[in-house]
Amino acid sequence: MVLKRAIPWALGAYILFMFGLTLSGVGRIVYYGDELIHLEKIQVFLEHGIYARSGGDNATGELLNPRGHVFSYGPIFTISTHLVAVLFGIETWGTVSYSDPAFQIRRIMVGVFSFVGVLAAAWGVTMVTRSRVWGLATASVLVSIPMWTGSAMFNLKDTPLATGFTLFTAGCIALTLPIATRTRFTRVAGWFAIFGGTLIFWGVRPGTWPAIALGFFAMALIFARFNNFANWTQTIKSLIFPFSAVVASYVAMMLLYPYLFLNPLDLLYRSFKDTAGFPHSTTVLTDGEVLSMPPPWYYIPKWFSAQLPEVLVLLAVMATIVAIWVVLKRLFRSTPTSADFAFPALIFIFIQFAAFPIAAILLSSTVYGGLRQFVFIFPALAMLIMISLFLVVHTWKFRRFRGVWPATVGIIAASTIFTSVIQVQMFPYLISYFNPTTVAGGIDGRWEVYAWKMAPGELYSLLPEVERVRCTQGCPKMEEIPSLFEEVARDQSTSIRYWEVVQFPHGKDGRFDKSCSNRVASVSRPYLGDSILVIEALSCAIPAVQFESTPAAGDDSSKWWESMTQWGWEIPMANGVTSLPGVPSALAWSVEPTSAGETSRYLLELTVLTGSTDTVVVSPTVNGVDLEEIVLSSGRTSELVFDVPAPTNQGAPDNLVVVEFVLSDTNGAPVTNKLMVSMIRPAV
């Protein structure tokens, strides 16, 4: 009896511990690309009423050329984080902040949303089983899934959507409970859960609206079945109350975001089209194969079986069989069954668990990042497993098989504890968890470790201090590094090296780059008696560049620029490279050693782009030697000509010519203007 009373407390303590683990990840993961893009989007939304990246403003302040998948994303999550930041005095209304406290608020809000999703999953199962213990067990299974807890530390796109989906599912369950267990509270709470869930659907990923349609189709089917498909008038009346919650959420989005939501037909079509065929070109190393987008049908099943604990994979298969059997049996049988109380819930949960993965396979959708884009299936997975187990134990008298039920509970508990230990070991890179079976088969060169996007900050801190500024584009961009490292990154007093930060396992094809064989620093995490390498920095050689023509004249000029880019630059374009605003930048190329005393003369074409000032001072250095400053006006092009002694004389490391630039105003203060280098060639 004492043990039975202790179970809810133990489960509650475990859930709170895992939530604490989630919050402790705040500040431990760098500010990654998607996060920065959505900050730009919410700023544009606050200024112009459209959730998009800015293509520039005209003279009257109107937005020109909105870009960035306008129909794919919405502002609900980021506007809520902005509101909280304003309430805490971290931001002022209408202006988002890039400060560390502001980023921490956003990460905390991701964690809070995830916790709401955990509570929604627990509530859904509690309503069906009428047992808080089963609800707590559901929450415990959910937070034991590393992908869920890991995503809750940073994932501002997929975690809120998962919470919205789970609220919607729980709300549908509440409004389709058997009359004997339905109360006024469940009816009102169900309405608000559907309202909140659909509001998140509309406001985070509008293209996921088919989930709402599927939910209402299932609800109509359930009501019709319980009416023996006879009283369709009553079935339609039963849908009015939940449908009003969806209408209310859509009206709320019309008021908040009229630019998109005042034209519902266009929104429904374009949001689904853009989401299903998301234009993203990448490759994903999957079980030793390099899969291009869209991936083959087995991509999702393989990652599912690799990134979930083995026990949960087996239970998921069992629960799926149970759910399909219960649903089909009730649909084609007019008389009540012992599982009628779980029949509606299993339908809604199975929609959340399986509908979108199946659709992604059938529609050949773009899917990458392991299971990151399917975080919403995990709450449904936990609910599906627990309700199926409840049916087996209580409805079908599984307990009469002595010893089997205690063994099942023991196996689930052992798996949960075992996986939690691994989560603590891998902290904060839980998103790259692989189960022991997969690890035994080898991660090196077989699976993409997605956490490499979260780890550059830690890698950067492990680089020798004198080398931190000498990174290629593979290094973390300045704005993606926590401010703890920012001042070091601006130091320019160190010797020159050429670094490349390579995601594990050494590129998408899993092969080593022979020119990058010297590991300088790496980030790894213990995994039981082994370890998983997350990201590493390698020292590479630069082949000598032949200046026979300007880069723009070549067929593959962007690759020409990539072979020389050092740090502080945006993605190379065909017509040159553009520096990041406010960040010192450098170019480097290797030259062939020549006889002593010879010099080489080079010409660089420079253009200062529009920014915070019209007059910019460009301070260049060549191999650490200051050149004369150049004063340029925005939009003006100038030539920089300089001599470089032969490598045999001046001793540049790796035979490099390194040209560094710092931009400032006439008072020496940093500016946000950009510098474009559009030409490098030998000077005549």
Side-chain angles (χ1 to χ4, degrees):
M1 182 64 69
V2 174
L3 179 62
K4 188 175 182 179
R5 291 178 179 176
I7 289 175
W9 291 99
L11 293 173
Y14 173 71
I15 295 166
L16 291 177
F17 169 78
M18 294 305 294
F19 182 57
L21 186 69
T22 296
L23 294 184
S24 64
V26 172
R28 297 292 300 273
I29 295 175
V30 297
Y31 313 142
Y32 68 109
D34 284 348
E35 202 168 8
L36 299 167
I37 288 172
H38 281 269
L39 281 187
E40 180 183 351
K41 286 185 174 184
I42 191 60
Q43 185 63 63
V44 172
F45 177 78
L46 292 168
E47 294 176 357
H48 301 283
I50 177 172
Y51 198 68
R53 303 183 73 180
S54 174
D57 299 342
N58 63 14
T60 62
E62 295 178 324
L63 181 66
L64 298 175
N65 185 29
R67 56 194 180 91
H69 313 299
V70 176
F71 284 85
S72 298
Y73 301 102
I76 279 293
F77 176 76
T78 45
I79 201 72
S80 66
T81 61
H82 178 56
L83 177 61
V84 173
V86 171
L87 292 175
F88 280 90
I90 296 172
E91 294 179 340
T92 57
W93 183 255
T95 304
V96 298
S97 170
Y98 286 76
S99 66
D100 282 343
F103 276 104
Q104 290 167 6
I105 283 289
R106 296 176 196 118
R107 297 287 175 83
I108 291 172
M109 286 293 291
V110 175
V112 169
F113 265 71
S114 76
F115 192 65
V116 172
V118 170
L119 295 178
W123 180 50
V125 172
T126 298
M127 286 188 291
V128 176
T129 62
R130 288 186 281 181
S131 168
R132 292 179 181 175
V133 173
W134 283 89
L136 289 171
T138 302
S140 298
V141 169
L142 177 54
V143 298
S144 75
I145 299 175
M147 178 65 75
W148 175 266
T149 306
S151 295
M153 295 180 184
F154 73 94
N155 193 341
L156 81 168
K157 294 193 300 184
D158 303 302
T159 296
L161 178 64
T163 294
F165 211 151
T166 310
L167 282 170
F168 177 72
T169 297
C172 290
I173 292 172
L175 296 185
T176 53
L177 287 172
I179 295 177
T181 58
R182 201 180 306 167
T183 66
R184 177 172 294 182
F185 171 79
T186 57
R187 184 172 171 81
V188 174
W191 190 94
F192 278 102
I194 291 178
F195 170 80
T198 54
L199 184 67
I200 293 175
F201 272 129
W202 300 126
V204 174
R205 294 293 294 267
T208 55
W209 63 263
I212 304 173
L214 284 173
F216 273 83
F217 173 77
M219 199 175 293
L221 187 66
I222 291 164
F223 287 137
R225 172 67 278 180
F226 286 149
N227 292 326
N228 288 326
F229 298 104
N231 193 343
W232 287 101
T233 302
Q234 183 60 40
T235 297
I236 294 173
K237 287 181 178 179
S238 300
L239 295 175
I240 294 175
F241 184 66
F243 187 70
S244 67
V246 178
V247 173
S249 68
Y250 193 89
V251 170
M253 288 305 303
M254 289 176 64
L255 297 174
L256 177 67
Y257 195 1
Y259 182 91
L260 237 61
F261 285 83
L262 284 180
N263 190 342
L265 294 180
D266 189 47
L267 170 74
L268 295 178
Y269 169 72
R270 293 193 59 180
S271 63
F272 179 73
K273 178 176 177 292
D274 290 356
T275 300
F278 195 76
H280 188 82
S281 177
T282 186
T283 58
V284 180
L285 186 63
T286 302
D287 196 19
E289 287 187 273
V290 181
L291 302 180
S292 302
M293 297 296 109
W297 69 268
Y298 54 81
Y299 171 90
I300 295 176
K302 275 196 172 184
W303 278 96
F304 184 87
S305 61
Q307 289 205 293
L308 274 174
E310 294 91 340
V311 170
L312 294 188
V313 173
L314 294 175
L315 288 174
V317 174
M318 180 275 292
T320 298
I321 295 172
V322 169
I324 292 175
W325 187 81
V326 168
V327 170
L328 292 180
K329 182 180 179 181
R330 185 64 180 94
L331 280 177
F332 296 103
R333 182 176 177 177
S334 59
T335 58
T337 69
S338 60
D340 274 5
F341 70 94
F343 167 67
L346 288 175
I347 294 179
F348 296 124
I349 292 169
F350 198 73
I351 288 173
Q352 181 175 346
F353 174 64
F356 277 90
I358 291 174
I361 293 173
L362 295 178
L363 297 175
S364 297
S365 298
T366 298
V367 182
Y368 53 93
L371 294 179
R372 177 187 64 81
Q373 294 172 307
F374 292 97
V375 171
F376 57 80
I377 72 174
F378 299 125
L381 172 66
M383 297 166 74
L384 189 68
I385 288 173
M386 283 300 145
I387 292 178
S388 298
L389 283 176
F390 183 85
L391 283 171
V392 171
V393 172
H394 289 278
T395 305
W396 300 326
K397 308 301 182 183
F398 184 68
R399 285 187 173 181
R400 64 186 176 182
F401 297 98
R402 184 176 299 176
V404 176
W405 173 240
T408 303
V409 173
I411 291 171
I412 296 174
S415 172
T416 299
I417 295 171
F418 183 75
T419 306
S420 300
V421 170
I422 297 176
Q423 290 193 66
V424 172
Q425 285 186 307
M426 294 189 66
F427 177 82
Y429 309 124
L430 281 57
I431 194 172
S432 285
Y433 165 88
F434 293 92
N435 59 41
T437 302
T438 304
V439 172
I443 302 299
D444 296 13
R446 296 191 61 81
W447 297 89
E448 178 179 346
V449 180
Y450 188 76
W452 71 271
K453 290 189 174 183
M454 281 68 257
E458 182 175 346
L459 177 72
Y460 191 78
S461 69
L462 296 174
L463 287 174
E465 185 170 329
V466 296
E467 305 293 358
R468 289 180 181 172
V469 298
R470 312 306 175 189
C471 293
T472 66
Q473 283 183 293
C475 276
K477 294 179 181 178
M478 292 294 298
E479 69 266 30
E480 297 184 22
I481 302 171
S483 60
L484 172 64
F485 309 123
E486 187 168 331
E487 291 305 315
V488 180
R490 294 181 184 276
D491 178 21
Q492 299 183 63
S493 62
T494 59
S495 60
I496 305 300
R497 289 286 184 87
Y498 176 69
W499 299 105
E500 182 175 352
V501 174
V502 183
Q503 73 174 65
F504 185 80
H506 315 291
K508 295 288 185 180
D509 59 0
R511 295 197 299 257
F512 283 95
D513 183 343
K514 294 181 179 179
S515 68
C516 301
S517 58
N518 179 31
R519 180 188 290 176
V520 182
S522 64
V523 174
S524 62
R525 285 295 184 270
Y527 187 100
L528 301 179
D530 203 345
S531 64
I532 290 182
L533 179 62
V534 177
I535 191 172
E536 61 184 359
L538 304 175
S539 177
C540 312
I542 303 180
V545 176
Q546 301 297 322
F547 293 93
E548 297 177 357
S549 63
T550 61
D555 294 333
D556 194 14
S557 54
S558 63
K559 294 294 182 183
W560 193 96
W561 285 106
E562 286 179 3
S563 69
M564 303 201 322
T565 300
Q566 273 285 96
W567 58 281
W569 303 94
E570 293 182 330
I571 297 174
M573 305 300 291
N575 61 344
V577 290
T578 305
S579 67
L580 293 168
V583 178
S585 51
L587 286 171
W589 60 89
S590 184
V591 296
E592 295 288 353
T594 55
S595 59
E598 292 187 10
T599 61
S600 299
R601 173 170 289 190
Y602 296 98
L603 182 148
L604 277 66
E605 189 173 274
L606 314 175
T607 305
V608 170
L609 305 181
T610 303
S612 58
T613 182
D614 293 331
T615 303
V616 180
V617 178
V618 181
S619 302
T621 64
V622 176
N623 288 343
V625 178
D626 293 336
L627 300 183
E628 185 176 349
E629 294 180 340
I630 304 172
V631 180
L632 290 176
S633 300
S634 294
R636 179 187 165 192
T637 299
S638 180
E639 294 180 349
L640 173 65
V641 179
F642 56 88
D643 293 325
V644 179
T648 53
N649 285 345
Q650 53 90 21
D654 300 324
N655 300 329
L656 293 182
V657 177
V658 181
V659 187
E660 300 181 76
F661 304 95
V662 176
L663 304 186
S664 61
D665 61 19
T666 54
N667 296 318
V671 296
T672 60
N673 298 66
K674 297 181 180 181
L675 176 70
M676 185 174 77
V677 179
S678 55
M679 180 187 298
I680 302 177
R681 63 176 175 81
V684 179

